[in-house]
Structures are given as structure tokens and as C-alpha cells.
Amino acid sequence: MRSIELKILDARVGDSIPLPHYATDGSAGLDMRAVIDDALTVEPGQTVLVPTGLAIYIKDPGLAAVLLPRSGLGHKHGLVLGNLTGLIDSDYQGQVFISCWNRSNAAYEIQPGERIAQMVFVPVAQVSFEVVEEFAGSERGEGGFGHSGTG
Ligand SMILES: O=c1ccn([C@H]2C[C@H](O)[C@@H](COP(=O)(O)OP(=O)(O)OP(=O)(O)O)O2)c(=O)[nH]1
């Protein structure tokens, strides 16, 4: 079992605001909530940084967390992430913030405790590089960007 230490920065998390948890056995993401005192209006085109009240210290360099939009919020209301995807490094110890971007034409009001994004833990490999004169051949070679056609 990998070691993931969760630190709570805001007393409301785990009390009036529940701790993140997996909704079903098969859930990949943990819903992250807005830990704010008052409703926060995000105007069309605006981006706001929203605290989650949680600091996590992953510690294990073989693990990271990514923040992703919630599908319903993004699709129906246009509330997605200002950085498109957030990456939480294993050595980060600060509070997790969600960059919320309203890409729609209507204002969106984030409510205190609302689930605004999801966090997924992913395995990570750190690579090292060696400069070489050429690569051993592969079937694809340099082909990319649709070289295999559309069929
Ligand atoms: O949506 C996000 C993205 C990042 N972070 C935190 C965790 C992450 O480990 C740290 C740094 O993120 P990143 O490396 O993406 O930021 P940067 O813009 O490259 O700045 P830095 O110089 O701090 O690395 O900020 C968040 O709280 N929310």
C-alpha cells in the first residue's frame, strides 16, 4: 500500500464539509470541494482560484495527483479548469487550489462546499536521458500527426 498522508488545513473540512471520498468502488476521482465562506460568482470568461481546505503530501515520487473538471459542471455550465489540468507533485505540501474558469456565456455561482473538480492519483515514472546518434528502428519511425490515415 502506498503512503499518502492527507493534511487538513481548514477545520470545516471533515466537519461541515465532508472529506473527499470515493463515491463508488469503481470511482477513479475524489470530488474536491470549494472551501469558501460565501458563494463566489465566476463571471463569463473569468478565472478564480478556489481553496479546497486540503493540503496533501504524497511523499512517494512514484505517485502524483491530477485535478480534472467534473464532467457535468464542465459540460452543462462551462465551469472547467483555468489550467486545463492541475498537477499535484509528490513533494508539494501546500493547500490544493482549484483554478476555476467559466468558459460559458453565463455567470456561475460556486456555493460553499460545492464539488468543483476531481482529483485522481496516478503512477509516475521519472526518466533520464541519454543522447544517441540514432534510434533503433521501429515500425512507426517518425510518422505522427495522422500519418496512418482516418480509416
Ligand atoms: O491546479 C493546481 C495545480 C498545482 N497546484 C499546486 C500543486 C503543485 O505541486 C504546485 C505547483 O504546480 P505546478 O508545478 O503546475 O506550477 P508551476 O506554475 O509550474 O509553478 P511552480 O514553479 O510552483 O512549480 O501547485 C494546485 O494546488 N492546483
Side-chain angles (χ1 to χ4, degrees):
M1 179 68 84
R2 285 176 160 154
S3 141
I4 304 170
E5 203 176 308
L6 288 171
K7 290 209 163 87
I8 300 168
L9 283 184
D10 190 306
R12 286 166 296 180
V13 173
D15 181 9
S16 55
I17 292 176
L19 279 171
H21 66 280
Y22 293 103
T24 66
D25 286 349
S27 293
L30 294 154
D31 282 333
M32 301 297 279
R33 295 177 185 268
V35 175
I36 47 179
D37 291 326
D38 304 304
L40 176 62
T41 301
V42 193
E43 300 294 342
Q46 195 188 5
T47 304
V48 296
L49 207 52
V50 182
T52 64
L54 290 172
I56 58 167
Y57 177 29
I58 298 173
K59 206 152 87 178
D60 179 349
L63 201 59
V66 291
L67 296 168
L68 300 168
R70 294 189 65 215
S71 334
L73 214 48
H75 182 69
K76 291 185 202 147
H77 302 287
L79 199 77
V80 293
L81 303 184
N83 47 356
L84 304 186
T85 307
L87 177 64
I88 312 298
D89 301 285
S90 67
D91 55 356
Y92 181 69
Q93 297 184 323
Q95 180 173 193
V96 174
F97 287 89
I98 311 290
S99 171
C100 290
W101 170 34
N102 182 355
R103 60 165 185 80
S104 79
N105 295 322
Y108 186 82
E109 195 172 80
I110 299 174
Q111 302 301 325
E114 182 173 348
R115 294 172 297 157
I116 49 172
Q118 53 184 329
M119 182 167 65
V120 179
F121 286 87
V122 291
V124 168
Q126 282 190 346
V127 302
S128 57
F129 295 100
E130 180 198 355
V131 178
V132 294
E133 295 297 320
E134 59 183 2
F135 293 130
S138 76
E139 194 178 326
R140 171 182 290 269
E142 293 182 18
F145 295 92
H147 91 292
S148 63
T150 53

